[in-house]
Amino acid sequence: MADCGEPDGPGNKDDITRSKNEGKELTKEEKQRLRKQKKHQKKQKERKNEKGPSETEKDKTPVSLLPPPQPVATQKAPSALPAPASAPIPVPASAPFHSSPAPSPADKPAKSKAELKAERRARQETDRAAKQPGSSSSGIKTKVPLSELNPVVKRLPEHVQVDDPAVVKRLAKKLERQQTLPYGASNKIPLRSDYGYKVSLFSHLHQYSRKAPLTQLLSIPSTVIHPSIVRLGLQYSQGIVAGSNARSVALLHAFKQVIRDYTTPPNEELSRDLVNKLKPYISFLNQCRPLSASMGNAIKYIKKEISNIPSQCKEEEAKTKLLTCIDRYIEEKIVLAAKAISKYAIEKISDGDVILVYGYSSLVNNILCEAFEKSRKFRVIVVDSRPRLEGREALRRLVQRGISCTYVLISALSYILPEVSKVFLGAHALLANGYVMSRVGTSQIALVARTYNVPVLVCCETYKFCERVQTDSFVSNELDDPDDLMVTRKGKTQLENWQDVSSLGLLNLVYDVTPPDFVDLVITDLGMIPCTSVPVVLRVKNLDQ
Amino acid sequence: MPGADKEADLTERIEAFLADLKRGGCGTGPIRGSGETARETTALLRKVTAQARWSSAGDLMEIIRKEGRRMTAAQPSETTVGNMVLRVLKIIREEYARSRGSSEETDQQESLHKLLTSGGLSDENFRQHYVHLKANVIEAINELLTELEGTTDNIAMQALEHIHSNEVIMTVGRSRTVEAFLKDAARKRKFHVIVAECAPFCQGHEMATNLSKASIETTVIADAAIFAVMSRVNKVIIGTQTVLANGGLRAVNGTHTVALAARHHSTPLIVCAPMFKLSPQFPNEEDTFHKFVSPHEVLPFTEGEILSKVNVHCPVFDYVPPELITLFISNIGGNAPSYIYRLMSELYHPEDHDL
């Protein structure tokens, strides 16, 4: 019995030593080796060899079946056990590149000692089971000590690895591969090229220009990308649809249209084919503008719903089911959440308050308008910043309601803060270590408000909570068009020829992270929590799902 | 009469200078830097000393005080004018004391010792006439002018002591002193400068273009990104409009945010300010501290209907308390903010503090 396990012996010993030496990191060669092994596995499965490959196959399955929240390729090991396809997949929100047909070895979980023991045990079981054909290896699962904690190794999203040429090449190949064109590929999803000189600290991020929209140079026929998605992508890249909630809602509506126009090709299952259909669309949108955390969560939800459709469901029924799911998601997570948050937030607004808001946050605007309708007496100070100047939009909407407002730029913050009694901020995402990711400038406002002892309240729906952690604004951010910083005053544009000067760079950041000690309270639809309770909410959400 | 012509000429020059001051300080940045203003003021005061009719030091001081009051009233935020007037008054007092032959008093300040020992001697009325007083005073004012001309170079010479290679330095808006400082250091060291553009006037753009022409690696960032970028900055070097009597600053708006962000990341904040910017004012004089300019810089008239329903503020200056400042670099060397009061006592006489 032990002899049967021999062919894998040296390989597994390597595994053990490897994980001991390098902890949870896998080097390139190992990843390649794993890829080869899995390819080999697949081929042998198809040939339906029983003894030898069944061991390797079953050897791998316990590993891939370990703690349920694993990015598991559902196509692997279908013969072994019903793979937990419906398990929630907490891949980093900004990397919706899920299990593609090509094996992704970077998803391989870290091997802790317990898991290695489980593997060895599993191998022994399979050896025993192989002697009794037909016995399932379902016993293996129960013996594996399932830890509730997610393994650490996740794949880095592509958009923060721009300085690595291998990653860029891989992305280009992937975009090409995601075509289902029957006729030769003369059109493909464009790979956007960076624009202008990038500041060295940010060479790992993309920097696109807004002047040249993505689709000007190529025409994308509707067989490649659904036209509503193309329209959405252009709206994102030109900044017509901006703001976390707006982008998510627009995305969901576009996906509804896609689902309506979708027909299942013969010999395909809707639950699998539709997910594959969505992948090139998501890549395209990512090229137009990197996905936000809220969009990532929405996409995860849709994919889960689609894969949950039972195979015997008729197409029309399935489609209506999906459409209602999406509607319900929007209704629950965005609209009703906004109502709940307003209800909590209005308790915090008292008469005579002077409230400071920054930029344009749909949620904060909603809160202020509702508070005004409930006849609270307060006035608002809107702080704005170049180059986006989103505060003007907020100002217009508040003034239309009749709220008395003051307007300043962010450099006048120290002048205006002594008058302020509360600061309300919106968020783009709340990270798992309690940091608030929001429009650039938010951290500054929180800092100066803390100095003047003014309470800072952040309002955020729970669907924007994300599992990523970040401590500074450099590692993962978005670079906007650098030409936006130019300004013409008195007929003179100082930075007109900044491209010609080699030592001059312009930096237009979009997001920044605010440390939790600057934030006093986070108002969510689940209630009012401190910043540090974000991972608790995430855990509760995962258990619910 | 030649005297009358000279006098008319003098008044004309003074009027022209006042008009310039009134126009120049409209907040879009001075048309000329404070250095130039200081030099012009001093030159004008020298002319007044040379051409006005006075017989004793007291008369001269009265004349200068009168002109000084007019000049500061024209543009209260331009404190260098007032500072130069005070310097000249101090020069006159010193020259008078020297002509009298009395030993130079090292400590002009009121002290308990002085009160008890000198008794009634403190009511100097400066009435005595000395022949060489005029020449001495003019010579001293010339020395002052030479000092003023060399301030930027003196400060720039100290650059290499404070900047090492591969540093990331942040600065705000545009300051000629800081520009010269950085250009001098760039001759021998390689470093990177991040300039905050300082809306709405965006003077940081001009600063960045000038620095990049001197082959310094420069990056322009928006004001909103100051805290985001601060964690990678090694030093913050800024200029200022005025150094106040308590060691605080009256600097361009946005500087307080930079100072707070620097303190949060424990980054040293260095202020390059020549001595003529030191003013005996304290920061809590509510009506004179802040200066506002046209709000159309912030919310342009094209915004239309909402303009009438909204209050828009566009302050020009920010107050930075002395606790946030690490070092002052001036033409006489580096000083801590706690030493500023002492420097002030050497430059100005306490009785002149309110013109």
Side-chain angles (χ1 to χ4, degrees):
Chain A
M1 257 175 24
D3 290 334
C4 296
E6 268 315 307
D8 286 315
N12 287 315
K13 279 198 196 119
D14 279 353
D15 283 349
I16 299 168
T17 46
R18 198 196 322 142
S19 58
K20 275 188 187 163
N21 296 338
E22 291 168 66
K24 297 174 180 180
E25 282 294 328
L26 292 175
T27 64
K28 238 186 196 168
E29 315 91 65
E30 287 158 12
K31 285 186 197 166
Q32 280 182 347
R33 202 191 334 144
L34 286 166
R35 239 182 272 150
K36 282 193 199 139
Q37 280 179 344
K38 285 186 182 162
K39 266 198 194 144
H40 180 68
Q41 236 186 294
K42 249 194 164 175
K43 283 194 202 141
Q44 292 183 328
K45 233 190 301 166
E46 281 160 16
R47 278 185 241 135
K48 299 237 173 174
N49 265 342
E50 272 211 330
K51 203 177 185 189
S54 71
E55 284 163 15
T56 50
E57 172 204 311
K58 291 195 174 150
D59 178 35
K60 293 299 173 195
T61 47
V63 166
S64 54
L65 285 174
L66 278 177
Q70 262 302 309
V72 167
T74 54
Q75 294 91 334
K76 289 191 195 128
S79 56
L81 297 146
S86 51
I89 306 173
V91 175
S94 51
F97 309 118
H98 279 324
S99 39
S100 45
S104 38
D107 297 337
K108 197 159 170 40
K111 293 194 183 176
S112 63
K113 271 214 168 117
E115 297 173 38
L116 286 169
K117 262 197 203 151
E119 272 185 63
R120 265 178 271 142
R121 234 179 284 135
R123 233 176 299 124
Q124 289 176 358
E125 294 271 321
T126 52
D127 295 342
R128 249 181 272 132
K131 297 226 163 168
Q132 310 153 27
S135 67
S136 73
S137 36
S138 52
I140 302 170
K141 245 210 282 189
T142 50
K143 290 202 181 161
V144 169
L146 286 179
S147 65
E148 293 242 305
L149 306 167
N150 301 331
V152 169
V153 171
K154 294 179 185 160
R155 190 170 44 173
L156 261 188
E158 178 277 331
H159 74 266
V160 296
Q161 288 190 66
V162 175
D163 53 353
D164 187 356
V167 174
V168 178
K169 250 197 285 176
R170 210 194 305 152
L171 172 68
K173 275 206 203 129
K174 185 159 119 189
L175 288 178
E176 280 188 40
R177 223 193 312 122
Q178 280 175 346
Q179 304 314 306
T180 47
L181 271 188
Y183 312 105
S186 56
N187 303 309
K188 49 187 166 91
I189 301 176
L191 180 69
R192 241 174 146 181
S193 54
D194 290 340
Y195 165 76
Y197 167 72
K198 263 195 287 193
V199 179
S200 56
L201 282 170
F202 291 95
S203 56
H204 62 290
L205 298 172
H206 284 296
Q207 181 170 280
Y208 299 130
S209 161
R210 199 168 298 136
K211 259 198 309 226
L214 203 53
T215 50
Q216 227 173 39
L217 306 169
L218 335 136
S219 63
I220 303 179
S222 52
T223 42
V224 179
I225 310 251
H226 193 279
S228 62
I229 301 279
V230 178
R231 188 180 67 171
L232 186 67
L234 284 174
Q235 283 173 335
Y236 283 166
S237 68
Q238 298 297 103
I240 299 172
V241 173
S244 197
N245 280 343
R247 282 165 75 188
S248 307
V249 172
L251 177 75
L252 290 169
H253 282 301
F255 274 177
K256 271 170 67 176
Q257 190 58 40
V258 167
I259 291 174
R260 270 188 224 116
D261 295 340
Y262 170 77
T263 44
T264 327
N267 304 334
E268 288 281 351
E269 264 193 48
L270 180 135
S271 58
R272 288 210 199 108
D273 186 60
L274 187 53
V275 176
N276 285 343
K277 258 279 177 17
L278 289 181
K279 279 181 200 149
Y281 299 165
I282 296 170
S283 307
F284 173 72
L285 290 176
N286 209 22
Q287 288 292 299
C288 294
R289 193 176 160 190
L291 297 181
S292 65
S294 51
M295 287 164 72
N297 286 346
I299 290 175
K300 253 193 270 168
Y301 174 77
I302 291 184
K303 284 194 176 175
K304 191 185 75 142
E305 286 299 313
I306 294 177
S307 355
N308 274 353
I309 295 208
S311 44
Q312 60 270 28
C313 202
K314 280 212 265 298
E315 183 174 319
E316 278 312 312
E317 209 182 298
K319 290 207 306 198
T320 16
K321 189 157 168 290
L322 286 174
L323 292 176
T324 39
C325 271
I326 293 181
D327 279 332
R328 211 184 54 220
Y329 186 83
I330 297 180
E331 184 65 27
E332 268 179 28
K333 305 281 181 178
I334 304 181
V335 178
L336 286 178
K339 287 212 181 88
I341 294 178
S342 306
K343 197 166 66 84
Y344 288 126
I346 287 176
E347 293 167 27
K348 292 289 176 193
I349 300 179
S350 23
D351 284 343
D353 260 347
V354 180
I355 298 180
L356 187 132
V357 298
Y358 176 59
Y360 178 70
S361 165
S362 50
L363 187 56
V364 175
N365 260 37
N366 197 331
I367 293 173
L368 292 176
C369 293
E370 292 222 0
F372 191 70
E373 259 158 53
K374 297 221 166 66
S375 12
R376 291 270 202 276
K377 308 261 175 307
F378 59 90
R379 67 183 178 93
V380 177
I381 298 181
V382 180
V383 176
D384 202 6
S385 75
R386 279 196 76 238
R388 286 179 162 236
L389 293 173
E390 292 169 326
R392 291 195 187 162
E393 183 57 39
L395 189 68
R396 258 176 242 129
R397 294 192 192 198
L398 291 173
V399 167
Q400 262 174 11
R401 295 296 196 104
I403 304 177
S404 63
C405 299
T406 308
Y407 179 78
V408 287
L409 286 182
I410 198 171
S411 36
L413 193 60
S414 310
Y415 165 71
I416 204 94
L417 251 168
E419 297 177 15
V420 174
S421 61
K422 288 190 182 76
V423 177
F424 273 81
L425 299 171
H428 171 257
L430 238 59
L431 305 175
N433 57 342
Y435 279 62
V436 179
M437 180 176 212
S438 184
R439 186 65 82 217
V440 67
T442 312
S443 51
Q444 239 166 275
I445 298 205
L447 168 77
V448 186
R450 166 66 83 201
T451 315
Y452 283 90
N453 279 323
V454 174
V456 175
L457 293 90
V458 171
C459 308
C460 183
E461 299 97 332
T462 46
Y463 88 105
K464 288 184 189 158
F465 284 20
C466 126
E467 300 235 341
R468 221 150 35 100
V469 291
Q470 207 174 316
T471 50
D472 60 32
S473 323
F474 290 85
V475 289
S476 174
N477 207 328
E478 200 184 315
L479 295 179
D480 210 357
D481 191 351
D483 289 334
D484 287 344
L485 281 180
M486 295 201 290
V487 71
T488 308
R489 286 179 56 86
K490 301 185 174 169
K492 226 175 134 205
T493 313
Q494 285 288 342
L495 295 176
E496 207 159 5
N497 305 318
W498 71 275
Q499 304 255 32
D500 304 332
V501 186
S502 60
S503 39
L504 185 59
L506 302 185
L507 183 61
N508 191 354
L509 284 177
V510 180
Y511 297 117
D512 74 5
V513 283
T514 309
D517 29 349
F518 291 160
V519 176
D520 290 304
L521 189 66
V522 177
I523 307 181
T524 67
D525 39 320
L526 294 177
M528 300 196 253
I529 59 174
C531 234
T532 43
S533 297
V534 170
V536 175
V537 172
L538 280 171
R539 191 194 175 95
V540 166
K541 266 196 339 168
N542 280 346
L543 287 179
D544 278 344
Q545 286 177 347
Chain B
M1 266 170 50
D5 279 344
K6 270 203 215 158
E7 265 197 46
D9 184 41
L10 181 61
T11 13
E12 206 185 285
R13 274 195 63 176
I14 295 179
E15 293 301 324
F17 182 64
L18 288 177
D20 227 358
L21 273 180
K22 274 204 196 111
R23 226 183 336 117
C26 59
T28 52
I31 290 183
R32 30 124 160 264
S34 353
E36 262 186 67
T37 317
R39 278 193 289 274
E40 278 221 26
T41 317
T42 321
L44 208 52
L45 290 174
R46 181 179 56 183
K47 231 185 159 78
V48 167
T49 319
Q51 288 173 2
R53 255 179 270 141
W54 53 279
S55 56
S56 69
D59 293 338
L60 179 59
M61 283 179 18
E62 261 317 302
I63 296 175
I64 300 243
R65 267 201 210 102
K66 193 171 66 109
E67 293 302 327
R69 272 191 284 264
R70 278 179 71 202
M71 289 198 262
T72 44
Q75 187 63 253
S77 67
E78 194 63 52
T79 44
T80 40
V81 173
N83 296 346
M84 288 300 105
V85 171
L86 295 185
R87 288 289 286 272
V88 170
L89 287 174
K90 170 108 191 214
I91 286 175
I92 298 172
R93 280 173 200 266
E94 274 178 10
E95 292 302 323
Y96 183 78
R98 202 178 302 146
S99 302
R100 269 183 94 214
S102 56
S103 56
E104 295 210 16
E105 296 181 33
T106 49
D107 188 0
Q108 300 263 16
Q109 306 278 20
E110 290 288 310
S111 73
L112 209 52
H113 182 247
K114 253 177 69 182
L115 272 176
L116 292 173
T117 55
S118 45
L121 220 59
S122 50
D123 51 345
E124 298 245 352
N125 47 12
F126 294 97
R127 287 287 152 220
Q128 293 204 343
H129 174 76
Y130 292 102
V131 177
H132 300 291
L133 187 61
K134 190 169 186 167
N136 288 345
V137 169
I138 292 189
E139 197 184 311
I141 296 184
N142 283 338
E143 272 175 32
L144 178 60
L145 267 173
T146 339
E147 182 196 316
L148 286 178
E149 267 156 39
T151 45
T152 318
D153 291 331
N154 278 337
I155 293 179
M157 275 191 326
Q158 303 172 51
L160 284 175
E161 293 171 14
H162 296 281
I163 300 181
H164 61 76
S165 318
N166 282 335
E167 274 208 277
V168 179
I169 296 179
M170 177 182 272
T171 182
V172 184
R174 174 151 192 250
S175 163
R176 289 171 187 74
T177 319
V178 175
E179 206 181 301
F181 190 82
L182 293 175
K183 281 187 181 164
D184 196 87
R187 285 188 295 122
K188 297 257 177 66
R189 307 258 157 92
K190 274 240 147 296
F191 52 90
H192 191 128
V193 177
I194 298 181
V195 181
E197 67 176 6
C198 204
F201 313 118
C202 295
Q203 293 196 307
H205 292 188
E206 208 183 322
M207 174 85 157
T209 352
N210 293 346
L211 287 176
S212 57
K213 287 205 185 106
S215 328
I216 302 177
E217 283 282 329
T218 321
T219 306
V220 179
I221 61 168
D223 294 332
I226 287 175
F227 185 75
V229 175
M230 183 60 81
S231 52
R232 295 293 176 274
V233 172
N234 299 121
K235 283 193 176 74
V236 181
I237 301 183
I238 56 176
T240 174
Q241 201 259 359
T242 309
V243 180
L244 299 165
N246 64 344
L249 299 180
R250 183 203 275 163
V252 75
N253 68 343
T255 314
H256 189 216
T257 312
V258 174
L260 285 173
R263 203 238 325 243
H264 182 262
H265 288 105
S266 300
T267 312
L269 179 69
I270 298 176
V271 181
C272 289
M275 274 290 109
F276 64 78
K277 287 193 179 169
L278 187 56
S279 157
Q281 287 175 14
F282 278 90
N284 294 321
E285 289 147 25
E286 291 299 326
D287 40 350
T288 52
F289 187 85
H290 276 292
K291 181 171 115 164
F292 298 90
V293 291
S294 162
H296 102 275
E297 310 269 358
V298 173
L299 195 61
F301 295 125
T302 46
E303 288 297 318
E305 328 138 345
I306 53 176
L307 273 181
S308 52
K309 306 182 191 148
V310 174
N311 292 327
V312 182
H313 296 292
C314 188
V316 181
F317 297 124
D318 240 357
Y319 170 62
V320 182
E323 305 86 59
L324 301 175
I325 302 169
T326 318
L327 186 69
F328 279 100
I329 295 183
S330 67
N331 44 317
I332 56 179
N335 300 106
S338 45
Y339 192 64
I340 292 291
Y341 81 98
R342 196 77 197 141
L343 291 173
M344 224 179 43
S345 71
E346 286 168 24
L347 291 178
Y348 312 128
H349 193 274
E351 282 174 23
D352 293 331
H353 282 182
D354 329 297
L355 269 180

